[in-house]
Amino acid sequence: MAVNQTKQHTYGSGEVYFARFKSGTQIPEARRYLGNTTNLSFSTAIEKLEHFDSDHGVKEKDDSITTSTTMTGTTETDNVNQEN
């Protein structure tokens, strides 16, 4: 059996920008660079309501409805200033 010797590593990096919404709107203000960001992570939690049909003796899932979605994120930066 041949062994794949190709290294397929990804080292992600980039700049993180942030834009606040203008007061009372969902229109973003100008983007600001947050500085050297050492950690950035996002997660999503989905809650579902599932329905099962058991008319014929075997319980089978016949529907699934998303009832809520929660998105969270964290950022760590070593660029400490008043705006950040």
Side-chain angles (χ1 to χ4, degrees):
M1 177 189 326
V3 177
N4 185 355
Q5 297 295 327
T6 304
K7 294 183 180 179
Q8 298 179 2
H9 301 287
T10 301
Y11 300 99
S13 66
E15 297 178 347
V16 177
Y17 290 82
F18 178 78
R20 296 183 203 203
F21 288 124
K22 293 179 181 177
S23 181
T25 72
Q26 291 190 4
I27 300 170
E29 295 178 352
R31 295 181 307 157
R32 284 190 315 105
Y33 174 59
L34 291 182
N36 183 43
T37 304
T38 57
N39 188 8
L40 177 66
S41 66
F42 297 98
S43 65
T44 303
I46 299 172
E47 187 174 318
K48 293 187 174 197
L49 176 62
E50 297 182 340
H51 184 269
F52 293 88
D53 177 18
S54 59
D55 282 346
H56 304 288
V58 177
K59 184 173 160 182
E60 295 180 13
K61 182 168 68 169
D62 62 357
D63 202 2
S64 180
I65 301 168
T66 300
T67 57
S68 69
T69 304
T70 304
M71 292 183 252
T72 59
T74 60
T75 303
E76 293 177 18
T77 181
D78 56 12
N79 184 17
V80 180
N81 64 44
Q82 185 67 27
E83 289 182 350
N84 287 348

